[in-house]
Structures are given as structure tokens and as C-alpha cells.
Amino acid sequence: MSFYDATVPAYLQILNSLSGLLSKAEAHCEVKKIQPEVLLGSRLYPDMLPLSKQIQLATDFAVRGCARVTHSEVPSTPDTEKTFEELRQRLARTVDYVKSFKSEQFEGADTKDVTFPMGPDKTMTLKGQQFISNFSLPQFYFHAAIAHGILRHNGVEVGKRDYMGAN
């Protein structure tokens, strides 16, 4: 299996499932007469980030993961989304961006150095494989899973199949 095949499809699977989760969440709000901003602002615990930020961070880790490992320019993505539709559009743009990468861009990237920020004044350097396997994908999955957990916690009827998405 190529490095590309171990990376890009993993991001795409969950990005697409997050879009489906948001559609179910929006429908839940309509049926239960819940203001969308209430669910979008929901957290699993008071010191955790809200649903909308979990989606934004998941997209950030997919975009930055692909960009950094291929030594492409990391695009800036401001966090301005306030509605389900705006978050689905962000997910769609992220899917398009991730799909824009070609397998050739990942050739040899698993052994190249990837330097990335680890706070305001600190960076870390890992080999591409370590960066994807030990940092980017775990962070990506964490925020996607927390988004799913927030929805479940708030009564949205979603399960593991919804999280895993269509293969």
C-alpha cells in the first residue's frame, strides 16, 4: 500500500461521514425544535471545545496533514462558520482540497522531514510517516469522534455506522 493510499482515503472517509452527521444533527434540531446554534455550541464537558470547533479542527488536521507531508503551502482557513450549512460547505471544500492531491506527491514523503508548529513559539520535526501516524491522523480522529460524541450526548440518533461513513 502506498503512503498516499494510507493517508488520503482515511481523511476522505471521515470528512464525508462528518457531513452526514451534520445533516442528521440539523434534522434533529428541526424535529425537536432546538435552535441550531444551541447544538453547534454544545460541548461534552465545559472545558472542551464546542461541536462547531470540533468540525473546524478536524478539517484543519486533514488539510494541514496533506499539505505538510507533501511540502505544499498550508492554506489559511478562518473559523467563521456559524451554521450547519456553512460547516458542510467547509467539509466539502476540505474534501475537494484533499482529493486534489495526487499519489505522486506522496512518493517518498513518508521518510522526509515534516516540521510543524507545536504551540506559539515551538516546532517539532518528524518523518512523514510518524507525522501522519502519530500526530495528524490521531488529532483528526479525536476531533471527529468528539463531534460524534457531542451529537450522541445531545440525543441525535447517530451510531458507529454514521461515524464510519459509507465505504
Side-chain angles (χ1 to χ4, degrees), residues 37-51:
E37 57 272 9
V38 171
L39 191 54
L40 290 168
S42 294
R43 303 163 187 258
L44 281 181
Y45 195 77
D47 69 350
M48 293 180 76
L49 297 169
L51 174 62

Side-chain angles (χ1 to χ4, degrees), residues 36-79:
E37 57 272 9
V38 171
L39 191 54
L40 290 168
S42 294
R43 303 163 187 258
L44 281 181
Y45 195 77
D47 69 350
M48 293 180 76
L49 297 169
L51 174 62
S52 58
K53 187 66 174 175
Q54 301 294 342
I55 300 294
Q56 291 164 340
L57 284 166
T59 62
D60 288 346
F61 279 103
V63 165
R64 293 174 185 163
C66 289
R68 287 192 173 113
V69 81
T70 61
H71 295 269
S72 301
E73 184 175 337
V74 178
S76 173
T77 310
D79 297 334

Side-chain angles (χ1 to χ4, degrees), residues 111-124:
T111 60
K112 290 182 182 170
D113 285 343
V114 175
T115 301
F116 56 100
M118 285 295 291
D121 299 321
K122 188 177 178 186
T123 61
M124 178 180 270

Side-chain angles (χ1 to χ4, degrees), residues 143-161:
H143 292 291
I146 294 298
H148 180 272
I150 290 169
L151 296 178
R152 287 281 298 168
H153 178 74
N154 282 280
V156 179
E157 293 184 22
V158 294
K160 189 191 304 185
R161 286 185 182 165

Side-chain angles (χ1 to χ4, degrees), residues 83-96:
T83 67
F84 286 112
E85 182 56 30
E86 289 172 347
L87 286 168
R88 277 194 302 273
Q89 289 173 8
R90 181 181 178 127
L91 285 161
R93 287 189 307 273
T94 304
V95 164
D96 289 344

